Amino acid sequence: MSLAQANKNLKFDKRLTERNVTVGEMSKEELQKHLESLPDLAHNVEKFTIDGKNASSSSDESH
């Protein structure tokens, strides 16, 4: 893979988007359009507590 292709693949990488907007590699509007096109995956999250126990099974304490 060429460096140009690698940079293209990283254009919307969360760690680089602010830099890309700042240096003019993409507009804020282009970024916003991309973010709005992403699917909502909120139903795929798994809640947990700091102690590492699954929040949905907190009533299953066997200790």
Side-chain angles (χ1 to χ4, degrees), residues 6-7 9-23 25-26 31:
N7 284 335
N9 290 343
L10 292 173
K11 182 175 183 175
F12 293 107
D13 186 298
K14 174 68 174 162
R15 298 165 292 183
L16 300 174
T17 53
E18 185 176 335
R19 175 203 168 272
N20 290 341
V21 170
T22 301
V23 299
E25 291 185 14
M26 88 170 102
L31 175 59

Side-chain angles (χ1 to χ4, degrees), residues 10-49:
L10 292 173
K11 182 175 183 175
F12 293 107
D13 186 298
K14 174 68 174 162
R15 298 165 292 183
L16 300 174
T17 53
E18 185 176 335
R19 175 203 168 272
N20 290 341
V21 170
T22 301
V23 299
E25 291 185 14
M26 88 170 102
S27 68
K28 287 183 181 181
E29 293 79 19
E30 183 180 7
L31 175 59
Q32 188 62 34
K33 183 177 178 182
H34 171 72
L35 293 175
E36 290 171 356
S37 73
L38 295 174
D40 182 4
L41 300 175
H43 63 278
N44 287 342
V45 301
E46 181 177 338
K47 296 180 182 180
F48 63 94
T49 60

Side-chain angles (χ1 to χ4, degrees), residues 46-60:
E46 181 177 338
K47 296 180 182 180
F48 63 94
T49 60
I50 298 299
D51 64 5
K53 295 178 184 172
N54 187 330
S56 64
S57 64
S58 60
S59 63
D60 288 339

